[in-house]
Amino acid sequence: MKLVLIGAPAAGKGTQAARLVEHYSIAHISTGDMLREEVAKETELGKEAKAIMNAGGLVSDEIIIAMVKERIKKDDCKNGFILDGFPRTVVQAEKLDEMVTLDKVVYINAPDEVMLERLTARQTCPKCGATYNKLFLPPKTAGICDKCGAELTQRKDDTVEAGKARIATFHEQSEPLVEFYTKKGILFEVDGTAAIDDITKAIIEGLGEN
Ligand code: AMP
């Protein structure tokens, strides 16, 4: 099973990807997580990506494509994978087409104001990567990760200003992917404002399994 999740920032891609990888026993590939690791390790790539990410822009197609090309060769991808946050441009999608044949592309759609509100309320665990949301998915103890007990943090790009820029970037550079994959006949859309469980159910049904 080779899937792509498309959606603006905070549409719920990461949350749904975490559930789908469990359901299908496939790998979760988040290019955002991969880049944040590079930033944390202060690699050359990380240093280059940091300012772009904090400003809500996109890291170059060339860098991202090379990263994904290597990642999908790894053993854990043998059974399939979910790409979360890639492709984000038509150039990336065209390159991906040369690498693999996708089964489906899921577009999680929600209005800008919903995503902006969610994004600023998002909290992430720096240790295990779990994500929470003060509005609708709070941890059991405020500020503490349910899974590993670490103190939760806010992503640097989950501010109102960076969030607005990221949503604008989505409309300009990533939304054309909806047409790109619709034309290929592999895209289906789910309502990103629905409850988390209902979205998961809609995706699994859309993928042809009840
Ligand atoms: P995400 O965690 O998916 O929201 O990604 C965080 C940031 O990483 C984005 O705002 C971009 O700056 C960068 N990024 C992640 N994936 C890509 C991609 N496929 N192409 C370009 N930049 C990316």
Side-chain angles (χ1 to χ4, degrees), residues 1-144:
M1 169 96 65
K2 297 186 182 75
L3 303 177
V4 162
L5 289 186
I6 296 180
K13 299 188 297 295
T15 304
Q16 294 303 327
R19 291 164 160 239
L20 297 169
V21 295
E22 287 277 319
H23 187 85
Y24 294 108
S25 300
I26 53 179
H28 180 187
I29 304 179
S30 156
T31 43
D33 284 348
M34 291 166 82
L35 289 169
R36 277 184 289 278
E37 260 175 50
E38 298 288 333
V39 172
K41 285 195 264 172
E42 298 184 343
T43 61
E44 279 311 308
L45 165 56
K47 284 180 201 159
E48 204 178 308
K50 189 175 176 178
I52 299 170
M53 292 168 76
N54 289 349
L58 291 186
V59 173
S60 83
D61 286 336
E62 209 183 1
I63 289 177
I64 294 285
I65 290 161
M67 227 169 68
V68 171
K69 204 169 180 178
E70 285 311 303
R71 179 64 186 86
I72 60 176
K73 284 184 194 157
K74 294 205 171 151
D75 268 2
D76 66 336
C77 294
K78 288 220 169 82
N79 203 23
F81 50 76
I82 296 185
L83 286 162
D84 157 12
F86 178 92
R88 258 178 158 100
T89 64
V90 171
V91 171
Q92 292 178 16
E94 285 167 349
K95 286 287 172 193
L96 180 63
D97 254 4
E98 292 169 16
M99 294 182 223
V100 294
T101 304
L102 293 172
D103 293 297
K104 286 276 183 208
V105 175
V106 182
Y107 173 36
I108 307 180
N109 194 5
D112 289 359
E113 58 277 11
V114 171
M115 291 182 289
L116 193 62
E117 190 186 30
R118 276 188 197 170
L119 182 145
T120 49
R122 182 153 68 177
Q123 290 184 303
T124 314
C125 176
K127 206 168 153 201
C128 74
T131 54
Y132 299 88
N133 195 293
K134 288 185 214 163
L135 295 176
F136 58 89
L137 193 64
K140 290 191 186 96
T141 310
I144 303 294

